Amino acid sequence: MSLEQSAASLTLSESGRKFWICELQGHDVEGNGTEKMPFRTLLRAFEAAGGATGEFAVRKNVAEGYQPAAKAAIKKALKLYEANVKKAQKAAERSAAEKEEAALNAAAEQAKLEEARKIVLSEDPALPVAKKIRIRDSTDNRGARVKVSGWVHRLRVQGKDMMFVVLRDGSGYIQCVLTGRQCHTYDALTLSVESTVTIHGTIKVVPEGKSAPGGHELVADYWAVLGKAPGGDDAFGSKLNAESSPDILLDQRHLVIRGETASSVLRVRALLLKGFRDFFDSRHLTEVTPPLMVQTQVEGGSTLFEFDYYGEKAYLTQSSQLYLETCLASIGDVYCLTESFRAERSHTRRHLSEFTHCEVELAFIAFDDLLDMMEDMVVSVIGSIMSHPVGSKIVAELNPNFKVPKKPFRRMNYVDAIAWLREHGIKKDVKDENDVKIGEADFEFGDDIPEGPERRMTDTIGEPILLCRFPAEVKSFYMKKCPEDRRLTESVDLLMPGVGEVVGGSMRISDLDELFEGYKREGIDPTPYYWFTDQRKYGTCEHGGFGLGVERLLAWLLDRYTVREVCLYPRFMGRCQP
Ligand code: 4AD
C-alpha cells in the first residue's frame, strides 16, 4: 500500500491523537492505531497523523506493556516519514512530467502524421509503363520498370529517408528500397509487417558487398498500400513470435503458414504430391478419386469416424484400398492421393485424425513385385524432390543431414524382427485387464510390435526396412496368407528411421472362400462388402497394394518433429480448427 493510500484509508487520522503501536501483534495495513487495533510501526502512526506529533504508546514485549515511545525512536520515525513523503512527492512530479511528455510526443506524432497525409505520391508519367510481374520472374526482368504486389514480409526503416521492405508474393521474396518522399507519406510512417503493397520501380543488382534475396533489389519510384495490417497489440509480431506456445501456433496456423519454414514445408509437400503423380504416370497407373463417405471398414472398427448419413450409419474412410481393388478390372493398375481418416485416441508424433493417403493397387503381381514397386516409388519421389532446385534447397535447409535412400532396401521378415528385439533386450509391456502395465517380457511370435519397440529397432538399424510377413492375427482381414507358412501373410510395412512406419501394404486374398474366412476371423458382417467380395467372384486375380502416409514421409524427409507440422491444417484428437 502506498503512503497516500494508507493515509487515506485511515479515517481516524488527526494530530494530537493517541496512537497505539504493538510491535508484537500490531498491523500496519489492517490496524487503525487504536488500542484494539494497534499499528505495528511508529512510521505508520506518523503516516496516519500526517506527520503531526501526537501521543505514541508502544508495546515491545508483554511484560512491560504499552510505554510512551522513546524520543529517539520518535525522531527516527519522523525523519523516515518526512523522507518518504519527499520521495512520494518527487515520484508524483516525475510521473506527471512523464505523462505530459508522452502527451506532447503523441500530439507531435499526430501532427507529423497529419502533415504526412498531405504528402501524396504519384507515378511519374515520363517513366515507361511498369510491367506487372511475379517475384519469381525478377531475374528475367532486371533493368526493366516493373510493378510487384505482395505482403510486407520484413520491414526496416533506416533514418528518415530510407526504408527496406522485403516483399513476399508466394512466388518468392524481393528486397525493395524506398527513398526520400516515398518514406514521408502517412502510409510509410504507419506501414506494418503483413500489409499488402504494390511497388513500382526497377530491379537492380545489389551493390558489391551487400546481399539480398536473388542478389538484386527493387529500387522503388512509386508505391501504394493495398491493405494495411494492424500495428500495436494486434500486430502480426505480437500475435506470433519465437516464444509462442505450440497451442498458439496451432490456433494461429493461418498466420503461421505465412512464415518461411511453414511455407517451405507446404512447397515440398506439393512437390511430393507431384512426384507421386509423375512416378505413377511413368508406370501407367491411373488416378482415381474414391468416395470418402463409406459404409465399410478397412483397418478395424476402433478407429472409425462414424456419422449419420440421411438416417443410415456411415463412416469417413480409413483407406480407399477396397475401392481401388474394384478399379483393377476396369482401368487396370490404379492409385489415389486422397484423405483418409482415423479416430486415433492417442496423441503421438505420427498419428493424425485426417491424413493424405497415397494408395496403390496392382493386378497380376506377386509379393516381390509389390515390394519392388514400393521401393521404386519412394526412391523416385525423393529423387524428384532432390533434383528440383527449390525442393533440394529446402531439404538442405531443413534437414541438412538427409541421406537419399538407395535401392535395394533391407528386407526383413517379422520373425527375424522378433528375434532381433529379443537379442537386443527390447521387451514388450505386460498389461493387466485394465490395460495397466504390470511388467515386461520378451517378444514372442504372434505379438504385434508396438510403435516404441519398432522405432527403436528402425532407429538402431538406421536405414529403411521393408518388414515383411506378419502373422494373420495382427493384420487386416483382406491380407493373403503366405503359401509357405499359413500362419503368416504376404504383408509389408516400410519403416523409416526417425518416424517408423511410413507404408503399409499386402497381397490381397484372391480366393472367395479365404476372404469369407477373413471376414469371420475379424467378426465382420460380409453383407455391405458385397461389391468387394464380387471382385473374387467375377474374375479373380492375384493382386496387391499399399498405402503411404504422405505426412509421415514428409516429416522424415524434412526432419520435422511431428506429422502435425507438415499438414496445411492438422487434425488430431482435440483439434479441428482453423
Ligand atoms: O497401415 P495402414 O493402416 O494401411 C492401410 O490403410 C491399407 N489399407 C493401405 C493399403 O494397402 N492401400 O496405413 C497405411 C499408411 C501407414 O503406413 C501410415 O503411413 C499412414 O497410412 N497412416 C497414418 N498417418 C497419419 N496418421 C494416422 N493416424 C495414420 N494411420 C495410417
Side-chain angles (χ1 to χ4, degrees), residues 272-288:
L272 189 67
L273 297 179
K274 182 172 183 307
F276 280 119
R277 290 196 164 97
D278 288 346
F279 171 75
F280 294 137
D281 204 32
S282 76
R283 296 294 182 102
H284 308 289
L285 270 68
T286 304
E287 181 170 7
V288 288

Side-chain angles (χ1 to χ4, degrees), residues 298-299 319 321 342 344 350-352 355 357 359 478 501-505 508 545-547 549 552:
V298 190
E299 299 299 333
S319 158
Q321 175 199 322
R342 305 277 169 103
E344 303 283 0
R350 63 180 206 178
H351 285 99
L352 294 160
F355 66 98
H357 209 168
E359 294 187 272
Y478 54 74
E501 186 198 324
V502 166
V503 188
R508 323 301 191 190
F546 53 81
R552 292 199 187 167

Side-chain angles (χ1 to χ4, degrees), residues 389-453:
V390 175
S392 56
K393 192 165 158 263
I394 295 173
V395 174
E397 276 165 12
L398 298 184
N399 191 4
N401 299 321
F402 180 69
K403 281 197 212 78
V404 179
K406 288 199 181 67
K407 285 191 292 193
F409 292 170
R410 177 192 282 250
R411 295 183 185 190
M412 188 181 197
N413 279 331
Y414 163 88
V415 284
D416 299 323
I418 294 290
W420 191 99
L421 292 168
R422 290 172 73 104
E423 274 163 30
H424 289 78
I426 298 175
K427 311 265 182 197
K428 64 175 179 184
D429 289 348
V430 179
K431 296 184 174 169
D432 67 9
E433 63 276 11
N434 299 319
D435 212 29
V436 177
K437 182 178 169 179
I438 49 170
E440 285 186 341
D442 277 334
F443 277 97
E444 309 272 355
F445 177 87
D447 287 335
D448 195 8
I449 306 175
E451 184 176 339

Side-chain angles (χ1 to χ4, degrees), residues 7 13 48 52 134 147 185 196 221 259 286 322-324 332 340 379 391 432 517 561:
S13 165
R134 291 280 185 199
K147 63 175 171 186
T185 63
T196 36
D221 57 55
T286 304
L322 310 192
Y323 290 96
L324 293 190
S340 282
V379 169
D432 67 9
E517 271 171 41
Y561 179 71

